[in-house]
Amino acid sequence: VGQFQLRHHRVGIAQFDGHRQVGHGDALGGQWRRRAGNGAGEDEYAVSRQSAGFDVGRQVHAYFHHGGLGSWRDGTAALFQLLGRAVDAAFDRAHAAWGHLDAIFNNAGTGLVPQTPDEVDPDEFRRVIEVNVLGVFNCAHTAFRIMREQSPQGGRIINNGSVSAHAPRPGSIGYTTSKHAVTGITRSVSLDGRPYNIACGQIDIGNALTDMAQAMTKGVPQADGSIRVEAVMDAQVVADTVLHMASLPEGANVQFVTVMATNMPFIGRG
């Protein structure tokens, strides 16, 4: 039905097997939409430059790339008001077309090069929080509103966390902080959603082979100071897991699940 993209923010709308789904994010969101469509024998996912969200997304893109921001600190409130309208527009268009929103995959991820806390630029730290935390919040905020107001009431919100929400990598204070915050969003939405039949779960992913994980195949810093190649897994495994979470019957929820490359150094990390 529609898609808009801004830097690391993307919202895609898909329908399969009679269920109305929203995917937010990039590589993993695309994997999930393809898997969902193929599994149902159809893939009605489509991209439309006439989507309700695109015009607002284009405005924000121009805001960044044509001098609208001197730094991430300038105009943040106005910027995220604009982003919130873009998210609202995309979700409302889907809900108007289908009449019901069943699930959202809330996927956002960006990070920084490995740095100790004193080396991190505060504006860059803010950028990671704005993408990974405020991006997730914006979509959860709008999805919750729609799921609470629609009839029948309820739905499912699936957040993309990370194994970094449990154990950090060296030099990852921005990313690790953001993924701990996503866990807080998951727990809060899960609790606050109970009266409205809104389920919220989280998938914590370790070393899925997307663009962000290419470095794992060449060698990345370890807690002992060494540089080592790490095991990775096909991102399709993540898509299959998210589809399982989204397909559970009403009244059942995967609260947290960790999906990781079998031999990656997570258990015992640090």
Side-chain angles (χ1 to χ4, degrees), residues 99-175:
H100 202 272
L101 176 64
D102 296 316
I104 166 178
F105 180 34
N106 208 350
N107 178 38
T110 189
L112 305 173
V113 297
Q115 296 172 305
T116 55
D118 60 308
E119 297 171 331
V120 174
D121 184 321
D123 282 348
E124 285 296 291
F125 183 90
R126 182 189 298 270
R127 176 180 64 83
V128 172
I129 298 303
E130 287 172 345
V131 173
N132 295 4
V133 182
L134 291 180
V136 169
F137 168 77
N138 279 339
C139 286
H141 170 269
T142 302
F144 197 103
R145 170 180 60 80
I146 291 174
M147 292 172 179
R148 180 177 180 176
E149 294 175 352
Q150 67 188 359
S151 181
Q153 193 177 62
R156 189 180 305 275
I157 297 170
I158 302 169
N159 292 330
N160 185 2
S162 172
V163 294
S164 292
H166 305 276
R169 289 186 177 278
S172 66
I173 189 169
Y175 187 79

Side-chain angles (χ1 to χ4, degrees), residues 10 19 90 113 119 134 154 172 174 179 186 237 242 269:
R10 174 180 291 180
H19 295 285
V113 297
E119 297 171 331
L134 291 180
S172 66
K179 291 304 182 177
T186 299
V237 177
V242 172
R269 189 154 93 186

Side-chain angles (χ1 to χ4, degrees), residues 8-135:
H8 297 276
H9 291 278
R10 174 180 291 180
V11 172
I13 312 297
Q15 178 173 354
F16 60 90
D17 196 25
H19 295 285
R20 286 73 174 176
Q21 316 278 346
V22 175
H24 163 225
D26 202 346
L28 290 176
Q31 288 276 353
W32 172 65
R33 291 191 296 270
R34 287 190 290 274
R35 174 65 182 89
N38 293 339
E42 61 177 317
D43 186 357
E44 299 181 27
Y45 175 72
V47 176
S48 169
R49 294 179 68 86
Q50 285 73 46
S51 73
F54 182 79
D55 287 340
V56 181
R58 182 171 54 192
Q59 292 174 40
V60 180
H61 183 274
Y63 195 54
F64 273 110
H65 290 276
H66 300 289
L69 286 178
S71 74
W72 282 92
R73 186 176 292 110
D74 297 336
T76 298
L79 171 63
F80 275 89
Q81 184 178 26
L82 195 60
L83 277 175
R85 291 204 302 269
V87 172
D88 284 344
F91 276 65
D92 287 341
R93 179 178 173 85
H95 189 256
W98 296 330
H100 202 272
L101 176 64
D102 296 316
I104 166 178
F105 180 34
N106 208 350
N107 178 38
T110 189
L112 305 173
V113 297
Q115 296 172 305
T116 55
D118 60 308
E119 297 171 331
V120 174
D121 184 321
D123 282 348
E124 285 296 291
F125 183 90
R126 182 189 298 270
R127 176 180 64 83
V128 172
I129 298 303
E130 287 172 345
V131 173
N132 295 4
V133 182
L134 291 180

